[in-house]
Amino acid sequence: MAKKIVLAYSGGLDTCVAIRWLKEERGYDVIALHIDMGTEKEFDVIHERAIAAGAAKAVFRDGKADFIRYFAFPALAAGAVYQGHYPLATALGRPLISKLMVDVAREEDAAAVAHGSTGKGNDQVRFDVSVQALAPDLEIVAPVREWDMKTREDEMAYAARHNIPVPTTKESPYSTDENLWGRSIECGVLEDPWQEPPEDIYELTRSVKDAPEEPSYVEIGFAHGIPVSLDGEELDGVTLVKRLNFLAGEHGVGRVDLVEDRLVGIKSREIYEAPAATVLLAAHEALEHLTLSKPQIRMKARVAQEYADLIYNGLWFTAYHQDLVAFVQSTQRHVTGAVRMRLHKGRAVPVGRRSPKSLYDVSLATYDKGDVYDQSAAVGFIKIWGLPVRVQARAQLLAEPGEPLRIASPEQ
Ligand code: ARG
């Protein structure tokens, strides 16, 4: 009996060809696993295509709720954004796909798992490292990394030779990946970082020039750092993110054009669309500024960078991740309240925030009547705060009495 392999199968050209290749070249019985993380493709069509390509079986899993609950929202609470711009949609999807591949491999008593990543990207690392952590006994095969087909044309020729029906959707020069947290687009003309991305690459966001002239406002409710409502209506995470993707996408919110550093050492130009993630990250940060202290905010920003790198670099299933989560969760105890966001012409801006745990005290901040802040006490505070500055300035900065104090001189 042939050994079984579970292939993470998107329904696209690469993974269709991979089904046949795994069967012909490696002798596996292929179980094609399709996971919906927000693209909601018609499984009937994809299922048939997998069987026609030579799969022994096609399996479907709806990963949307788990993706939001265990991956996207924890990353939101952490404020995880890679290199300041990328909300990590693709990177967050990989560990869940790995987990589901392993689950199905166990159910089916398979010996191996397979994924459609190339040998040049981050995704191969995320899949391989995650599977190695979850199921070290499973073999991992990455057909695209191993076969000698170089181009889309090579794959089309292979498909024709083997009579494999391939996706009939119009040919795209781009490589894309999509889930509820966002969409990633690369290749084609985008490989020239000087070229402005053509408008037709976008699917989730309207161009700013076609976005409504009037802004929309949306109020996002958070409980302990997790979004729970839109405009006062309590929603499950999947519905909330879907609605927000649509609403913010209409206003052209969430486009990112980034030259980023891949883990494998290559700089690459990638375009992202992440309407809901962009709005939620900005809203969440605004609520943190209301409810966290200054050192909490500062430390959290450092942890956010660590967290983003960890996700990007495929280290989701690690003890270090658990350590970072412990800190993040502790910070979110009082991040409860609502933020009103204005969506307009490509921008998502927090314009109002409130919280039962707010640290903002108007009677301290006000310049109007009702002020309880003791301004005379500031004098003593400044005397002590400035003490070491005065001592050092006298001893070291004002070398010649009467000389103007210069911190840096242009001649130096
Ligand atoms: N650069 C992004 C990452 O490493 C996205 C990778 C997948 N992109 C794609 N266009 N297929 O997470």
Side-chain angles (χ1 to χ4, degrees):
M1 214 178 68
K3 284 198 289 186
K4 293 185 189 172
I5 192 165
V6 176
L7 168 71
Y9 164 70
S10 69
L13 178 64
D14 285 343
T15 50
C16 282
V17 172
I19 290 175
R20 180 62 61 93
W21 186 88
L22 287 165
K23 185 175 150 151
E24 298 284 330
E25 312 293 326
R26 297 293 166 94
Y28 282 109
D29 271 352
V30 182
I31 298 157
L33 166 64
H34 182 73
I35 302 162
D36 178 18
M37 293 210 296
T39 49
E40 299 186 326
K41 295 185 189 167
E42 278 175 66
F43 184 60
D44 289 356
V45 178
I46 292 184
H47 182 282
E48 262 174 45
R49 204 183 288 152
I51 300 299
K57 188 171 180 180
V59 178
F60 172 78
R61 289 281 189 281
D62 182 349
K64 294 196 292 289
D66 280 350
F67 177 64
I68 291 298
R69 175 159 185 206
Y70 295 113
F71 295 84
F73 280 1
L76 168 67
V81 177
Y82 185 64
Q83 294 195 319
H85 297 276
Y86 167 36
L88 291 159
T90 296
L92 284 163
R94 300 325 189 185
L96 175 55
I97 295 172
S98 304
K99 166 79 170 86
L100 294 173
M101 282 198 288
V102 168
D103 286 354
V104 174
R106 294 308 189 211
E107 282 164 29
E108 300 283 345
D109 206 15
V113 295
H115 57 78
S117 307
T118 72
K120 293 185 74 170
N122 301 308
D123 288 327
Q124 54 171 345
V125 182
R126 298 167 185 150
F127 284 129
D128 288 8
V129 172
S130 299
V131 171
Q132 286 162 6
L134 296 171
D137 57 304
L138 290 180
E139 208 192 314
I140 304 167
V141 185
V144 182
R145 187 167 63 188
E146 296 176 27
W147 66 37
D148 48 21
M149 289 178 264
K150 292 265 178 277
T151 61
R152 192 183 165 88
E153 286 63 45
D154 295 343
E155 291 182 28
M156 296 291 279
Y158 183 97
R161 245 191 346 269
H162 291 86
N163 263 322
I164 306 171
V166 293
T168 49
T169 45
K170 75 168 169 22
E171 212 173 294
S172 156
Y174 307 109
S175 158
T176 62
D177 178 68
E178 183 180 341
N179 61 42
L180 286 168
W181 207 232
R183 185 164 170 269
S184 311
I185 313 136
E186 63 189 340
C187 301
V189 293
L190 304 175
E191 286 180 357
D192 177 355
W194 180 249
Q195 280 274 330
E196 181 172 357
E199 196 54 40
D200 67 3
I201 66 167
Y202 298 106
E203 286 185 5
L204 307 179
T205 52
R206 233 182 235 278
S207 151
V208 162
K209 78 177 180 351
D210 302 326
E213 292 303 319
E214 292 303 311
S216 292
Y217 291 83
V218 60
E219 185 184 307
I220 301 163
F222 289 88
H224 312 291
I226 300 300
V228 291
S229 66
L230 290 185
D231 292 328
E233 183 185 354
E234 277 187 31
L235 297 171
D236 66 273
V238 173
T239 309
L240 188 149
V241 169
K242 270 197 208 170
R243 279 201 200 167
L244 209 47
N245 266 330
F246 180 75
L247 186 62
E250 284 291 292
H251 285 277
V253 168
R255 290 186 178 185
V256 175
D257 177 345
L258 180 65
V259 174
E260 74 191 30
D261 288 281
R262 286 189 194 162
L263 176 59
V264 293
I266 303 168
K267 276 198 189 287
S268 74
R269 199 276 191 95
E270 189 109 25
I271 307 299
Y272 299 105
E273 300 181 272
T278 300
V279 177
L280 291 172
L281 283 158
H284 179 262
E285 187 190 37
L287 190 57
E288 287 195 332
H289 277 260
L290 193 66
T291 53
L292 298 185
S293 67
K294 179 173 165 174
Q296 284 178 305
I297 291 169
R298 195 174 46 202
M299 188 63 194
K300 186 124 192 305
R302 290 189 202 160
V303 169
Q305 280 201 11
E306 282 293 295
Y307 207 110
D309 273 22
L310 173 146
I311 293 167
Y312 191 85
N313 294 340
L315 302 176
W316 185 268
F317 295 110
T318 57
Y320 184 46
H321 184 184
Q322 293 180 312
D323 297 339
L324 296 185
V325 166
F327 174 79
V328 170
Q329 283 185 344
S330 173
T331 63
Q332 299 302 293
R333 279 168 299 156
H334 305 305
V335 184
T336 294
V339 179
R340 195 165 71 258
M341 298 292 295
R342 188 184 64 221
L343 313 176
H344 192 219
K345 294 286 184 193
R347 304 231 304 141
V349 184
V351 292
R353 62 288 270 163
R354 61 180 146 82
S355 167
K357 301 288 183 175
S358 173
L359 301 177
Y360 180 87
D361 185 339
V362 71
S363 65
L364 291 175
T366 186
Y367 283 98
D368 286 340
K369 49 181 183 315
D371 185 5
V372 301
Y373 183 85
D374 179 359
Q375 297 200 28
S376 67
V379 178
F381 165 72
I382 294 164
K383 205 165 168 182
I384 302 301
W385 172 251
L387 176 64
V389 177
R390 290 197 302 277
V391 169
Q392 191 163 28
R394 204 183 315 125
Q396 298 171 355
L397 298 182
L398 305 171
E400 302 294 332
E403 189 187 314
L405 191 151
R406 279 202 305 249
I407 289 296
S409 62
E411 302 87 63
Q412 268 172 1

